[in-house]
Amino acid sequence: MYNASDLKKGLKIEIDGDPCIITNFDFSKPGKGQAIYRCKIKNLVTGNQFEKSYRSGDKVNRCSLISREFTFSYIDGADYVFSDNETFEEARLNDELLGDLKYFIVDDMKVEILFHNERALDITLPNFVEMPIAETEPGARGDTANNVMKPAKLANGYELNVPIFINEGDIVRIDTRNGQYSDRVSKG
Amino acid sequence: MDTGALVLRDALMRCIRAFFHERGFIEVETPIRLKTPCMELHIDAEPAGDHYLRTSPEIFHKQLLAAGHGRIFEIGKCFRQGEYGRLHHPEYTMLEWYRSHADYMDMLEETRLLVEAVAALRNRGFGEWTLLGISEAFREFAGWDPVAEYDADRFDIDLVEKVEPALGRIAGPVVLIDYPAEAAALSRRKPGNPLVAERWELYIDGIELANAYSELTDAREQRGRFEACADRRRELGKAVYPIDERFVEAVGRMPPSGGVAMGIDRLLMVLAGADSLDGLVAFRSPCDA
């Protein structure tokens, strides 16, 4: 347990069983009165933000978050299933939680999954992933210096902009942190 | 560090000293390390070896009043454990002054003159002063009356979350006055209305700057308040300080007096138009928390 006086910006705490982070913190103490620790808090599961004040003497639950390495295994309906190579434990994340990251998950990819108790909260992919371009207008030669871009699609339907010289079948490197084209790995 | 802040602080210190010297006050120095910090429920003294650091100079000033010094002031560092925030620093500069044969309204008039003298440093008038009874302020901004029925927890939280933000929206200095007797601290009860203590707090821009009393001069009541406070502190698992017998005895001998404690770092904030002590207290860092 934390004491109210331990609270500070950036601290992760548990409220009603949910992991939360203190996004803003202010210490107040009216003349002769007791200390009031005023927090803005974000629920790490729902993303909801709210304000909460603690008084000296209040106790706050600690939040234990653990990050573990898993390998992508298979898709089961809306769930992406990952497994721990040593224990063969499975972790499931649904496509809603994954958002656009689901487009960049490839066979045997190693990922970091963040757990609160038994619940998977967040996933971190390798910074770059190599994927083939499935659809794009034919490439134009010569214009490799300028940043002229054109739309393209991956086989899974993800749309991104690529330089004009990219052709269908080319393997490109995509930055998973922003979902953007990084560079060309090889020609198709 | 902002050198402008240091220059402004220097001008402020000179202005305050000149103000009190012109009015016949003497500047006094009293101990900073002591065995018996003034006991208050929510103020924790910083231990210093086998002593504590003072949380306020008040217990010495009242002994000086009892010894016949009728106009005294002190500017110095005070220390409060665990207080760090936008408006708090665990070691801060306090101005404290006392006048014999004066009450909290006399002290309010003197405070008004001091604040006007200080405002001239910045050619910044603070505007009209508003006097607001605690009872009215709470009814208006928090929907209940702590004088009629006191609830300590609700009082502190509503003061911080509802009343103080509303005071920040009132132009000019605001004085919250006539506190519930339960929040009297070391002030006397109002003659004719035992529910209310003769205490006020000054706010400018929603920032609490000063606290004032018609001082309690009843040694028995003083001892009773210390003992009740010691019991509450014990219940809360807080350190209980010994009672300074010379102080309690002096309370019974001192003339009727008024006293004001003013936070100089916050006064500097108001003068500089700053919204935090950052940059105004030299060498302040979050490591001081």
Side-chain angles (χ1 to χ4, degrees):
Chain A
M1 300 280 259
Y2 290 115
N3 290 314
S5 57
D6 297 326
L7 301 179
K8 58 184 175 189
K9 190 172 168 174
L11 190 72
K12 294 187 183 75
I13 57 177
E14 190 184 278
I15 300 174
D16 300 332
D18 275 355
C20 296
I21 185 166
I22 298 174
T23 56
N24 224 320
F25 174 80
D26 195 21
F27 172 88
S28 325
K29 197 163 187 275
K32 307 295 177 194
Q34 61 188 316
I36 311 277
Y37 303 86
R38 304 174 75 190
C39 300
K40 283 197 178 123
I41 295 171
K42 183 177 176 182
N43 183 314
L44 290 171
V45 177
T46 62
N48 284 345
Q49 304 227 34
F50 56 97
E51 290 185 11
K52 194 170 163 75
S53 293
Y54 293 93
R55 290 174 306 212
S56 33
D58 284 347
K59 302 281 185 200
V60 184
N61 279 333
R62 285 173 183 271
C63 172
S64 63
L65 294 177
I66 296 169
S67 188
R68 279 172 59 190
E69 192 182 83
F70 278 77
T71 305
F72 174 60
S73 193
Y74 62 98
I75 297 175
D76 177 15
D79 284 349
Y80 283 65
V81 183
F82 300 83
S83 65
D84 182 314
N85 284 348
E86 283 166 23
T87 64
F88 302 102
E89 258 177 279
E90 279 194 349
R92 287 168 173 265
L93 280 85
N94 67 31
D95 57 2
E96 198 180 331
L97 195 145
L98 289 168
D100 273 355
L101 289 180
K102 70 182 176 204
Y103 296 113
F104 311 133
I105 294 171
V106 297
D107 285 349
D108 298 325
M109 180 181 255
K110 296 216 183 318
V111 300
E112 288 281 332
I113 298 179
L114 185 68
F115 290 89
H116 173 245
N117 300 330
E118 300 297 299
R119 177 159 55 169
L121 282 184
D122 197 14
I123 185 169
T124 307
L125 305 189
N127 289 346
F128 296 97
V129 59
E130 293 172 8
M131 314 266 298
I133 293 295
E135 263 180 55
T136 190
E137 294 290 316
R141 293 172 61 88
D143 198 3
T144 54
N146 291 327
N147 288 330
V148 181
M149 306 290 272
K150 62 176 183 177
K153 250 188 202 178
L154 305 182
N156 57 31
Y158 180 74
E159 292 178 19
L160 74 169
N161 285 318
V162 297
I164 207 154
F165 57 81
I166 298 287
N167 284 305
E168 286 178 6
D170 287 0
I171 309 284
V172 300
R173 208 185 319 267
I174 298 171
D175 188 328
T176 60
R177 292 161 297 186
N178 57 21
Q180 286 175 8
Y181 168 88
S182 169
D183 57 340
R184 180 164 66 183
V185 180
S186 60
K187 289 190 176 189
Chain B
M1 197 195 315
D2 181 0
T3 47
L6 287 177
V7 171
L8 184 59
R9 182 183 286 264
D10 174 65
L12 176 62
M13 290 303 188
R14 280 184 287 156
C15 176
I16 292 171
R17 290 194 160 98
F19 175 86
F20 285 108
H21 287 139
E22 273 165 27
R23 298 173 66 84
F25 282 75
I26 60 163
E27 181 168 4
V28 298
E29 285 192 20
T30 61
I32 290 176
R33 42 198 287 288
L34 66 177
K35 293 274 194 185
T36 55
C38 190
M39 198 144 38
E40 301 200 40
L41 183 53
H42 297 299
I43 296 178
D44 298 325
E46 195 81 60
D50 58 353
H51 284 64
Y52 291 98
L53 299 180
R54 68 177 175 193
T55 58
S56 138
E58 124 176 68
I59 64 171
F60 298 108
H61 285 205
K62 289 181 183 172
Q63 292 175 62
L64 293 174
L65 285 165
H69 292 281
R71 287 177 173 246
I72 50 175
F73 78 100
E74 180 164 6
I75 302 173
K77 288 287 181 87
C78 290
F79 303 83
R80 295 183 180 184
Q81 202 175 34
E83 300 194 7
Y84 183 92
R86 189 173 70 89
L87 299 177
H88 290 83
H89 197 74
E91 80 168 81
Y92 66 103
T93 305
M94 181 101 106
L95 160 65
E96 193 140 332
W97 79 96
Y98 288 86
R99 241 171 76 193
S100 60
H101 306 291
D103 68 6
Y104 73 148
M105 297 310 286
D106 299 319
M107 301 316 278
L108 180 56
E109 187 48 34
E110 198 153 58
T111 302
R112 191 198 302 259
L113 295 173
L114 173 66
V115 168
E116 277 166 14
V118 158
L121 290 174
R122 268 282 156 116
N123 298 320
R124 181 189 168 183
F126 286 116
E128 284 294 301
W129 287 54
T130 305
L131 247 68
L132 198 55
I134 274 277
S135 182
E136 290 161 73
F138 269 74
R139 280 191 314 229
E140 170 86 17
F141 304 122
W144 64 292
D145 182 357
V147 173
E149 197 174 350
Y150 189 68
D151 174 335
D153 279 351
R154 196 172 167 207
F155 184 78
D156 289 342
I157 289 204
D158 282 359
L159 185 56
V160 165
E161 294 192 341
K162 296 177 178 164
V163 178
E164 289 186 349
L167 301 184
R169 294 191 289 273
I170 299 175
V174 182
V175 178
L176 282 186
I177 192 163
D178 291 341
Y179 276 65
E182 293 86 345
L186 302 188
S187 62
R188 75 171 182 214
R189 286 167 194 250
K190 204 178 187 71
N193 184 358
L195 292 179
V196 161
E198 289 192 338
R199 169 182 169 201
W200 56 254
E201 294 239 11
L202 167 65
Y203 288 81
I204 298 181
D205 299 339
I207 297 168
E208 177 202 328
L209 287 182
N211 177 54
Y213 305 142
S214 298
E215 300 295 340
L216 180 65
T217 53
D218 179 333
R220 253 186 68 199
E221 181 160 355
Q222 180 66 71
R223 179 183 300 282
R225 289 189 195 179
F226 272 160
E227 284 168 356
C229 182
D231 290 345
R232 284 288 290 136
R233 287 187 65 94
R234 209 170 282 121
E235 281 166 31
L236 293 172
K238 287 171 172 274
V240 174
Y241 313 125
I243 293 176
D244 183 335
E245 293 302 335
R246 287 168 308 175
F247 168 69
V248 174
E249 184 267 330
V251 164
R253 275 193 301 120
M254 66 189 246
S257 305
V260 182
M262 184 179 277
I264 293 306
D265 309 292
R266 291 190 187 171
L267 183 58
L268 202 61
M269 265 179 77
V270 169
L271 276 181
D275 70 351
S276 141
L277 293 172
D278 294 345
L280 294 179
V281 173
F283 303 105
R284 168 175 154 103
S285 99
C287 303
D288 302 324

